[in-house]
Amino acid sequence: MRDFYGTALANPLMLGTAQYPSPAVLEAAFRASGAAVATVSLRREAGQGQSFWQIIKGLGVPVLPNTAGCHSAREAITTAQMARELFETNWIKLEVIGHADTLQPDPFGLLQATEALAADGFEVFPYTTEDQVLAARLLDAGAKVLMPWGAPIGSGLGLNNRYGLRTLRAAFPDVPMVIDAGLGLPSHAADALEMGFDAVLLNTAVAQAGDPVAMARAFALAVQAGVVARRADPMAPRDMAKPSTPVLGKAWL
Amino acid sequence: MTDVTVIGAGVAGLCAAYAARKAGLSVRLIDRNGTPGPHGCSWWAGGMLAPFCEGAVAEPVIVAHGQHAAAFWAEVTEVVHCGSLVIALQRDRGDLDQFARRTTGHQRIDHLDTLEPDLAHHKSALYFKDEAHLDPRRALSDLVAALAAAGVQIEQAEATPDDIQGPVIDARGMAAALPGLRGVRGEMVVLRAPEIHLSRPVRLLHPRHPLYIVPRADGLFMLGATQIESTARRGVTARAVLELLSAAYALDPRFAEAELLETGADLRPAHADNVPRVTLSGRVLHLNGLFRHGYLMAPALAAQAITYLTQGTKGDLIHED
């Protein structure tokens, strides 16, 4: 498995910490998921969420703070600096939202913020689309990891543009990539890993399930299946049927 | 010699003092701010007695105990027994089905013409007929009056359990600074919209800005409430007001013409599982962590605390320190 700025993860699951029924459920779901990274949003809690952040730190895994809800490079940079201080990490999941309805990334603001943060010593995980041109520019700007979306944030639609994601994966075979956003089901997570992505990041699919702990467990199993399947070198799909037993010599009735 | 001293005259402390008096105990009630007011989070509550709706997210123990809250409150204040409604906009219909799957005690209503004519343009709703609501500020003052009639006055003084001899019920909320207790910020607004008539609280399921609206007397409506993992005590943010008002506008565009009377923000004390409890610590009983269930759960907490004091029985809301 490719590493993330020098950190190898024991498990390709990154789990968000928002929107759970309670911190107790969050903690139980987190343990059940076996997730190797906890993401946490800073924006709305600005400076005052100490007791909640203690719970996140207590999960005992690397924390990936994000700039969720930032609509400009400037906002995102300020949030990233705050996150670095609070969580004592250079990691930042960079979200610069370009459109309020689709929560689609703003490619221009994202590039600008990536450049500024990378120059300032941050290890940037840019939340991006499957656009290859943008991907190349983000890598040039100093990002060493990419986080292409599966589908719009919170939509639960899974991998919306399989062709785009597959070509992105193929275009940058050495770049660690995390499918972030839009995953609704464990099968979506397995799908992403089978396609060769290095990890998946999700939140709503677990937090808003009727039973978040059970769903976390389901995702744990799915990412395990996805990783094993990828390593096992899946068969190539074909258009024609190929019988698994010979037909020659059977009686023609 | 007093049988029990209650510190904190928010909804938890008042209910505890009331239950103690009813059980025949002599009671002292102390609060550093005197009678209930904007200094306490009980002041900012919605006043929904909606255990079944809360069950969509809350632990089952809330649903079980919350069902008895309306009967308690009807003893001391006006309770409106008109049920409550849950509505989703057309595009979020899937959320309504999900809410129905995750709750009990509701029926599907396809026409709101008779039940809530002002919302007849919404085509589908869940009706929780056994739920109720009250006006929290009125409930607090009615409870203060009931206590006064029973000979209990609120003493305005700084006090901690260490200052007091004998059994203490500590109902100070955030001020008690119990280990593991956190603040969850909530923000609300009050509107006057005399054009609009609602008979019961309405919840709007919205993927980003869930909202409830509780009708009060004189054309007033309370809109609530954000739920943010933050202990910031500053006033309502512009964002919160924008979100609450646009959700209200989506429910009924006439809310755009309403008069904005009041905004409020405060912290809900909460334990890690968001379940209120009585924590036993020697002669001190901590009633705390009422989260968003103050009016719904204070009666049950008070009852269990007083039963423990008088009979030594431990109910399911009682935890050892």
Side-chain angles (χ1 to χ4, degrees):
Chain A
M1 205 166 109
R2 300 171 189 86
D3 65 24
F4 300 91
Y5 293 101
T7 301
L9 302 182
N11 180 317
L13 184 57
M14 303 185 176
L15 190 58
T17 54
Q19 303 176 0
Y20 290 81
S22 70
V25 174
L26 154 66
E27 199 173 345
F30 211 92
R31 307 255 176 254
S33 76
V37 169
T39 66
V40 58
S41 148
L42 277 198
R43 192 170 149 59
R44 290 207 64 169
E45 291 82 7
Q48 302 276 349
Q50 287 86 350
S51 43
F52 187 67
W53 294 332
Q54 283 314 315
I55 295 168
I56 308 295
K57 287 179 181 170
L59 295 171
V61 296
V63 174
L64 175 59
N66 68 45
T67 62
C70 290
H71 285 257
S72 70
R74 192 172 166 178
E75 243 184 314
I77 291 166
T78 311
T79 306
Q81 285 161 344
M82 209 163 70
R84 175 155 69 179
E85 252 175 61
L86 272 165
F87 289 101
E88 294 159 351
T89 175
N90 286 326
W91 280 12
I92 188 76
K93 183 196 143 187
L94 185 59
E95 249 183 75
V96 183
I97 298 302
H99 191 252
D101 244 22
T102 59
L103 301 179
Q104 187 169 336
D106 170 0
F108 308 99
L110 183 65
L111 186 60
Q112 192 189 343
T114 299
E115 211 156 25
L117 290 170
D120 191 17
F122 280 92
E123 295 169 335
V124 183
F125 294 63
Y127 166 61
T128 180
T129 64
E130 64 275 12
D131 188 303
Q132 279 193 43
V133 180
L134 176 57
R137 299 290 294 272
L138 290 168
L139 296 170
D140 287 346
K144 292 188 169 59
V145 172
L146 293 175
M147 286 194 143
W149 65 352
I153 296 171
S155 67
L157 292 171
L159 306 183
N160 226 6
N161 179 355
R162 300 176 58 82
Y163 162 76
L165 289 169
R166 200 180 295 118
T167 48
L168 179 72
R169 178 67 286 180
F172 304 97
D174 301 324
V175 176
M177 285 191 210
V178 185
I179 293 289
D180 174 18
L183 303 187
L185 289 169
S187 51
H188 299 156
D191 196 4
L193 295 163
E194 287 159 7
M195 278 172 74
F197 288 95
D198 302 283
V200 291
L201 193 166
L202 51 111
N203 187 344
T204 316
V206 168
Q208 303 271 294
D211 184 343
V213 180
M215 190 58 85
R217 172 90 186 115
F219 271 97
L221 296 168
V223 298
Q224 198 185 346
V227 168
V228 175
R230 176 73 186 174
R231 279 198 209 120
D233 189 12
M235 63 166 282
R238 67 177 67 243
D239 288 336
M240 272 298 289
K242 178 185 166 223
S244 48
T245 48
V247 284
L248 198 69
K250 289 261 163 85
W252 289 18
L253 297 172
Chain B
M1 182 69 190
T2 336
D3 294 326
V4 62
T5 303
V6 179
I7 313 179
V11 66
L14 291 171
C15 284
Y18 182 82
R21 220 34 223 108
K22 250 190 121 176
L25 304 182
S26 60
V27 179
R28 270 184 82 191
L29 176 56
I30 307 174
D31 189 291
R32 64 176 175 185
N33 292 299
T35 50
H39 52 264
C41 60
S42 309
W43 191 255
W44 303 106
M48 286 187 296
L49 302 172
F52 300 104
C53 284
E54 291 298 318
V57 174
E59 299 288 335
V61 67
I62 307 284
V63 185
H65 286 289
Q67 291 177 48
H68 308 292
F72 168 89
W73 286 108
E75 275 182 35
V76 291
T77 191
E78 189 190 333
V79 174
V80 185
H81 296 273
C82 279
S84 62
L85 278 178
V86 176
I87 287 177
L89 304 180
Q90 194 67 34
R91 58 157 203 212
D92 303 324
R93 196 51 57 80
D95 292 348
L96 197 66
D97 298 336
Q98 178 178 291
F99 198 89
R101 287 199 306 274
R102 293 177 183 182
T103 53
T104 55
H106 55 72
Q107 60 199 88
R108 181 76 84 151
I109 306 275
D110 290 323
H111 298 284
L112 287 167
D113 313 47
T114 46
L115 198 62
E116 206 67 88
D118 274 23
L119 298 178
H121 54 290
H122 293 282
K123 294 300 169 219
S124 185
L126 299 174
Y127 175 42
F128 293 77
K129 68 177 175 51
D130 295 325
E131 298 190 332
H133 68 283
L134 50 73
D135 178 337
R137 296 177 189 175
R138 185 160 165 206
L140 292 172
S141 68
D142 287 345
L143 200 45
V144 169
L147 281 165
V152 181
Q153 304 292 337
I154 300 172
E155 302 170 34
Q156 184 168 359
E158 287 283 350
T160 68
D162 292 342
D163 306 328
I164 310 288
Q165 309 258 308
V168 175
I169 290 178
D170 178 1
R172 290 176 294 154
M174 291 304 296
L178 292 183
L181 194 73
R182 75 189 198 288
V184 181
R185 185 175 154 87
E187 295 152 297
M188 58 85 95
V189 305
V190 177
L191 301 178
R192 191 199 308 277
E195 258 191 283
I196 303 175
H197 298 279
L198 297 180
S199 308
R200 51 187 63 74
V202 176
R203 285 175 199 244
L204 177 68
L205 302 180
H206 188 284
R208 294 189 205 172
H209 318 309
L211 165 84
Y212 59 78
I213 297 187
V214 190
R216 291 186 183 163
D218 306 320
L220 300 192
F221 295 89
M222 182 274 192
L223 275 56
T226 59
Q227 191 169 308
I228 305 167
E229 290 291 346
S230 164
T231 48
R233 281 203 182 267
R234 63 185 180 140
V236 171
T237 60
R239 177 202 292 260
V241 176
L242 270 171
E243 290 175 357
L244 291 171
L245 293 184
S246 36
Y249 180 77
L251 191 71
D252 189 329
R254 289 174 298 169
F255 275 114
E257 303 307 321
E259 186 184 352
L260 179 52
L261 293 185
E262 191 182 345
T263 64
D266 209 339
L267 302 181
R268 309 172 179 96
H271 297 296
D273 57 2
N274 292 344
V275 177
R277 67 180 60 136
V278 180
T279 311
L280 300 180
S281 174
R283 65 187 173 84
V284 183
L285 284 68
H286 299 280
L287 268 64
N288 217 322
L290 277 80
F291 187 48
R292 49 183 285 159
H293 309 304
Y295 292 79
L296 193 61
M297 291 296 286
L301 281 185
Q304 292 203 2
I306 300 310
T307 303
Y308 174 75
L309 281 179
T310 53
Q311 297 161 32
T313 334
K314 289 181 194 165
D316 58 349
L317 298 171
I318 295 196
H319 293 232
E320 302 285 346
D321 194 358

